[in-house]
Amino acid sequence: MDIVIRPVRPGEYDVLGEITARAYLQDGLLDFGESDGYLEHLRDVAARAAAAEVLVAEVDGRVAGGVTFAPAGSRMAEIARPGEAEIRMLAVAHEARGRGAGEALVRACLDRARASDGCVRVVLSTQRTMRTAHRLYARLGFTRAPERDWNPIPELDDVTLLVYELPLRQRPD
């Protein structure tokens, strides 16, 4: 199976938005299910693509997943500090999981970060229950940064996102 990582095309915004929304819903990652306001953001790939770089994993000619790569200063960056890039909204369709698409998307983000002038670290937020993702991040060299954990919904005490980070070694020219 070949996985092609490339920028999302405008005609694929709806497909990727639905893959992302379905992944979050099916994995129980939204506190309010179908009525969760975050679903709108997950589905709005056009807005993400206007503010950051959105990549897709194409498997057998079909979009199987995607990710948002947001350098510090991007409107899509929530936790990235100067000199950092952020990975957001990584999602792979359930039927395509376990085949390497998620890892390929993360690796593509790392490549982009290494190619970005001044980028020294990649960060991301994840939920406690996303254990498969945690294993992927650890395998790629990310470590926990508990001092950076945060709550995106301060009015709800039980919502804490875990932060992972990966210092970058720049590639030789």
Side-chain angles (χ1 to χ4, degrees), residues 36-139:
D36 198 300
Y38 194 55
L39 268 177
E40 175 184 332
H41 298 289
L42 295 173
R43 286 188 170 116
D44 194 354
V45 177
R48 285 193 264 157
E53 186 174 7
V54 178
L55 304 173
V56 295
E58 182 182 291
V59 178
D60 299 328
R62 298 181 63 172
V63 173
V67 68
T68 301
F69 175 75
S74 160
R75 287 178 308 180
M76 287 300 301
E78 293 182 315
I79 62 168
R81 298 173 180 161
E84 296 179 337
E86 186 170 342
I87 295 173
R88 299 217 32 224
M89 299 179 187
L90 174 65
V92 175
H94 274 255
E95 63 274 7
R97 290 187 179 177
R99 299 178 186 168
E103 182 171 340
L105 286 162
V106 173
R107 286 185 183 279
C109 289
L110 296 177
D111 288 344
R112 278 162 172 71
R114 286 185 185 102
S116 299
D117 287 338
C119 187
V120 298
R121 184 177 299 107
V122 176
V123 295
L124 59 88
S125 300
T126 183
Q127 293 184 20
R128 293 182 193 282
T129 59
M130 299 173 80
R131 290 181 184 86
T132 301
H134 301 168
R135 287 190 297 274
L136 167 64
Y137 304 142
R139 188 168 64 248

Side-chain angles (χ1 to χ4, degrees), residues 9-33:
R9 297 175 185 136
E12 298 166 330
Y13 290 171
D14 290 343
V15 170
L16 181 57
E18 198 53 36
I19 287 171
T20 308
R22 288 288 127 217
Y24 275 64
L25 283 167
Q26 290 172 345
D27 291 347
L29 302 175
L30 300 172
D31 288 327
F32 304 106

